[in-house]
Amino acid sequence: MDALVTPSLEPLIEALRSVGYTVVGPTVKDGAVRMAEIWSAEELPAGVGDAQEPGGYRLTERDDDMVFGFAAGPDSAKRYTQPPRQTLFRMRDQEIEEVEPEAPRVALLGVRACDLAAIAVQDRVFLGRHPDSAYRRRREALFLVAVNCAVPGGTCFCASMGTGPKATAGFDLAITELAAPHRFLIEPGSERGAQILTAIPHRAAEEDDLAAAQEVSRTAATRMGRQVDTTGIQDWLPAAHDHPRWTDVASRCLSCTNCTMACPTCFCSTVEDITDLSGDVAERSERWDSCFTLDFTELGGTPVRGSALARYRQWLTHKFATWYDQFGVSGCVGCGRCITWCPTGIDVTEELSCIR
């Protein structure tokens, strides 16, 4: 099926809901563009933009009705592929109860190219040598509606990482929002995506529509707020073990873990055992953790990375260099969230430039 054009996303949302998907899309919540369940296209953030910088995020008003006129917000698809907390099993009166992993049918509307790349990274981690059956079920239940990014944020650098701004793979549908007149060009990326499109009133995309969509992605690629030179990074970054910049950045790092929580590819987790007040029921849960926490580095009761310097160096080196050794790709997709949501404004692109 070829690309089509529709003036509204309302039929798409209705079509997805009619086949049993919970539609999750961008909404304005808590002073940011957050991903949440939506029932109508009217809930999309029309006329909303954002301004992002190291350690800073604020919403802005646009002078149009574009509904995707902002950069990646704090939420990524990770929340739906690897939930922040999940119960593994429960023990009641000395009997073990298996807990069925939750795998809701969710249609994520507005997934950026950088986040599609992050999902591909997670697929390598969780579906590779040691497949995670719960992750597989959640992935299979996800329907991905990508949006080709038109407005990169001040901290974005996906073009440097080769992951955006145009979505090229890994989606069921890909939308490009076009102006004058306001319309949406939608391309299918899977058989089930094409099936959904048959239920949407539309017209076939014309040459002008396709050219306008290409221009959106071309222009976005030239407006990245940041850039990184990754040439030879697998070699020079691990070799910079004793660079003085590590001491400088460690003096600014709070080890708060914001960067790893917002990162769409960080997947560190830990397990917790909780007993209720009666003592009859115990539960083991898995929750997100971070390599920035001191306890996470414990081996044999002793932290192996006892300083913020050691933990930051390990994180940055793993993310941009040794991740290649493990998974064959970079662990960074250039979304810029770690820069925006760092309370002290640590900028990985600046740190890499100084260390290089």
Side-chain angles (χ1 to χ4, degrees), residues 113-115 117-118 121 157-159 161 163-164 264-265 330-337:
C114 55
D115 284 325
V121 169
F157 55 102
C158 65
M161 305 309 296
T163 59
T265 66
S330 173
C332 176
V333 295
C335 68
R337 290 186 177 94

Side-chain angles (χ1 to χ4, degrees), residues 121-172:
V121 169
Q122 281 209 319
D123 285 351
R124 287 184 174 87
V125 174
F126 290 110
L127 300 178
R129 184 179 301 177
H130 305 290
D132 183 322
S133 59
Y135 177 89
R136 183 185 299 280
R137 291 183 58 182
R138 288 190 291 270
R139 277 289 283 117
E140 291 175 348
L142 275 185
F143 187 99
L144 298 174
V145 183
V147 167
N148 288 317
C149 193
V151 188
T155 58
C156 291
F157 55 102
C158 65
S160 293
M161 305 309 296
T163 59
K166 180 176 175 55
T168 57
F171 56 82
D172 293 296

